[in-house]
Amino acid sequence: MRKLLNTLYITNEKAYLTLDGENIVCKIEDEDNFRIPFDNVESIVCFSFLGCSPAFMGKCVEKCIPLSFISPFGKYLASVSGGTHGNVFMRVSQIDVFREKELELAKKQIAAKITNSISVIRRSKHDIEALREDADIQSAIEYLKSEIESIKVADSIETILGIEGNCAKKYFSVFGKLITNNRFYFNNRTKRPPLDPVNAILSFVYTLYVSEYASALETVGIDSYIGFYHRLRSGRKSLACDLVEETRCIAERFSLTLVNLGILSPDDFDYQPSGAVFLNIDGRKKVITKWQEKKRSDFNHPYLQQKIQFGLLPYVQANLLAKYIRGEIPEYPCYIVK
């Protein structure tokens, strides 16, 4: 098991990363902003326009440090990580297992996602007195519970996709009621681009989580581009997207906390003439700081039955998936909120 990922986040849009011996050097407008040893970092997420030098990328590959490029607006662009770790036999087994078990895995994954979505609503229902007798909230819970049963008898990936889409629509139809800060609103989920601050937060945190799951999968020798639910698409880490589904609830609860506790304000966003809304530099810094704090907090993993840090969850799930692919455990245990 790896230690908690020490991730370096470059949030300044004008930052440029370069190499000086064994040190990472961050320059802003040709001036050194900071330098740290490579040995202190396990992955890098860069939100700048300028990126980094070829020598710097080469050093990241040499040291097996995943380097992800994300636009300042939070859109995933690309990653540099060198070759996939592990061996060819693991990747062959991965493809064979996914071909044979894709429907079974997808059923479990989306059933877990819907179950965890119910937990998000119930948690807010417990915390917010006004929601305890809310008819829309209760209707959403009952609908999601019934669709878990529909997932169990689904006979194709396409059927599951349809059920998932309907559940997401129902879930996000009441998501706005979980927001208690009257400076924010949420009407429906918008992605490309997000059209309000809450959607901007959700998209940004989802992007961070996909990057972390991709790193975890590569660490245990699994190809993060070959998934069982999200179809193959050039440049998309489909398996990382698959595994994030079961833990979206963490990103959603985290986003609600940022809003309801007033950690973010409307001033932390850029509002585009087109209607798109993105986190600005200060907003991204606030989210990343709190996200790192969240990753250091402990919780009891339901399958391991022991406390781990939230930052280790992607590595635990990646290891469990690897064990399933190798035939060491009979099924992959999805993460379910307890």
Side-chain angles (χ1 to χ4, degrees), residues 108-218:
K108 294 188 59 161
Q109 199 75 17
I110 302 308
K113 174 185 178 179
I114 297 171
T115 300
N116 290 336
S117 295
I118 294 172
S119 294
V120 172
I121 298 174
R122 283 178 169 164
R123 171 70 180 274
S124 292
K125 185 179 177 182
H126 176 271
D127 294 342
I128 305 170
E129 186 175 355
L131 298 183
R132 294 172 191 171
E133 303 299 327
D134 189 287
D136 292 335
I137 290 289
Q138 192 56 40
S139 172
I141 291 173
E142 294 303 321
Y143 179 83
L144 295 175
K145 286 168 63 177
S146 69
E147 290 305 278
I148 292 174
E149 298 304 312
S150 299
I151 289 285
K152 293 178 181 179
V153 297
D155 58 2
S156 68
I157 296 291
E158 289 70 27
T159 300
I160 296 173
L161 282 166
I163 295 171
E164 181 198 10
N166 290 334
C167 286
K169 184 177 180 180
K170 190 70 171 179
Y171 173 65
F172 283 118
S173 72
V174 299
F175 194 80
K177 296 192 174 201
L178 312 186
I179 297 171
T180 58
N181 187 336
N182 59 17
R183 301 186 73 191
F184 289 87
Y185 66 92
F186 181 92
N187 293 323
N188 58 281
R189 179 75 177 115
T190 55
K191 304 175 184 179
R192 291 179 286 272
L195 299 177
D196 61 67
V198 176
N199 272 295
I201 301 167
L202 288 170
S203 292
F204 185 79
V205 179
Y206 289 153
T207 299
L208 292 179
Y209 226 7
V210 169
S211 177
E212 292 176 11
Y213 264 94
S215 296
L217 290 164
E218 295 288 342

Side-chain angles (χ1 to χ4, degrees), residues 28 39 45 77 120 146 169 246 255 276:
I28 297 178
D39 290 342
V45 180
L77 300 175
V120 172
S146 69
K169 184 177 180 180
E246 66 192 70
S255 299

Side-chain angles (χ1 to χ4, degrees), residues 1 9 17 69 76 91 98 123 128 130 156-157 162 179 182 185 191 228 258 273 282 299 303 312 322-323 333:
M1 181 66 65
Y9 294 98
L17 297 178
F69 295 99
Y76 174 81
R91 294 195 288 281
F98 287 179
R123 171 70 180 274
I128 305 170
S156 68
I157 296 291
I179 297 171
N182 59 17
Y185 66 92
K191 304 175 184 179
F228 55 83
L258 294 176
D282 289 339
F299 77 105
Y303 182 80
L312 289 176
K323 287 180 178 292

Side-chain angles (χ1 to χ4, degrees), residues 57-326:
M57 288 191 284
K59 179 63 78 170
C60 288
V61 170
E62 176 188 326
K63 289 186 169 290
C64 298
I65 296 175
L67 170 61
S68 297
F69 295 99
I70 298 170
S71 78
F73 300 132
K75 180 183 178 182
Y76 174 81
L77 300 175
S79 293
V80 176
S81 59
T84 300
H85 303 291
N87 58 60
V88 68
F89 299 108
M90 169 64 91
R91 294 195 288 281
V92 170
S93 296
Q94 175 185 349
I95 294 169
D96 289 343
V97 169
F98 287 179
R99 282 176 176 169
E100 181 182 354
K101 301 289 188 180
E102 68 170 6
L103 183 59
E104 177 184 329
L105 285 166
K107 283 183 178 183
K108 294 188 59 161
Q109 199 75 17
I110 302 308
K113 174 185 178 179
I114 297 171
T115 300
N116 290 336
S117 295
I118 294 172
S119 294
V120 172
I121 298 174
R122 283 178 169 164
R123 171 70 180 274
S124 292
K125 185 179 177 182
H126 176 271
D127 294 342
I128 305 170
E129 186 175 355
L131 298 183
R132 294 172 191 171
E133 303 299 327
D134 189 287
D136 292 335
I137 290 289
Q138 192 56 40
S139 172
I141 291 173
E142 294 303 321
Y143 179 83
L144 295 175
K145 286 168 63 177
S146 69
E147 290 305 278
I148 292 174
E149 298 304 312
S150 299
I151 289 285
K152 293 178 181 179
V153 297
D155 58 2
S156 68
I157 296 291
E158 289 70 27
T159 300
I160 296 173
L161 282 166
I163 295 171
E164 181 198 10
N166 290 334
C167 286
K169 184 177 180 180
K170 190 70 171 179
Y171 173 65
F172 283 118
S173 72
V174 299
F175 194 80
K177 296 192 174 201
L178 312 186
I179 297 171
T180 58
N181 187 336
N182 59 17
R183 301 186 73 191
F184 289 87
Y185 66 92
F186 181 92
N187 293 323
N188 58 281
R189 179 75 177 115
T190 55
K191 304 175 184 179
R192 291 179 286 272
L195 299 177
D196 61 67
V198 176
N199 272 295
I201 301 167
L202 288 170
S203 292
F204 185 79
V205 179
Y206 289 153
T207 299
L208 292 179
Y209 226 7
V210 169
S211 177
E212 292 176 11
Y213 264 94
S215 296
L217 290 164
E218 295 288 342
T219 298
V220 298
I222 300 177
D223 192 328
S224 62
Y225 288 89
I226 302 175
F228 55 83
Y229 183 58
H230 288 81
R231 294 305 184 189
L232 301 184
R233 192 173 74 193
S234 180
R236 179 169 72 180
K237 298 194 173 184
S238 296
L239 185 55
C241 294
D242 288 345
L243 293 196
V244 164
E245 293 294 349
E246 66 192 70
T247 50
R248 279 179 179 266
C249 58
I250 295 172
E252 289 152 6
R253 280 296 313 172
F254 174 74
S255 299
L256 287 170
T257 298
L258 294 176
V259 170
N260 290 344
L261 295 186
I263 295 167
L264 292 174
S265 77
D267 294 334
D268 292 314
F269 299 85
D270 284 330
Y271 302 85
Q272 305 293 311
S274 63
V277 180
F278 303 102
L279 283 156
N280 59 27
I281 291 177
D282 289 339
R284 290 197 296 270
K285 286 180 179 178
K286 290 179 182 179
V287 173
I288 288 169
T289 298
K290 291 299 180 181
W291 184 243
Q292 290 297 86
E293 291 177 7
K294 173 73 173 178
K295 287 164 62 178
R296 296 187 184 98
S297 63
D298 293 333
F299 77 105
N300 191 57
H301 192 282
Y303 182 80
L304 299 182
Q305 291 297 301
Q306 66 183 67
K307 283 191 174 181
I308 66 169
Q309 292 180 320
F310 267 106
L312 289 176
L313 182 57
Y315 292 93
V316 169
Q317 296 307 121
N319 270 286
L320 290 172
L321 182 61
K323 287 180 178 292
Y324 172 69
I325 290 171
R326 292 193 296 263

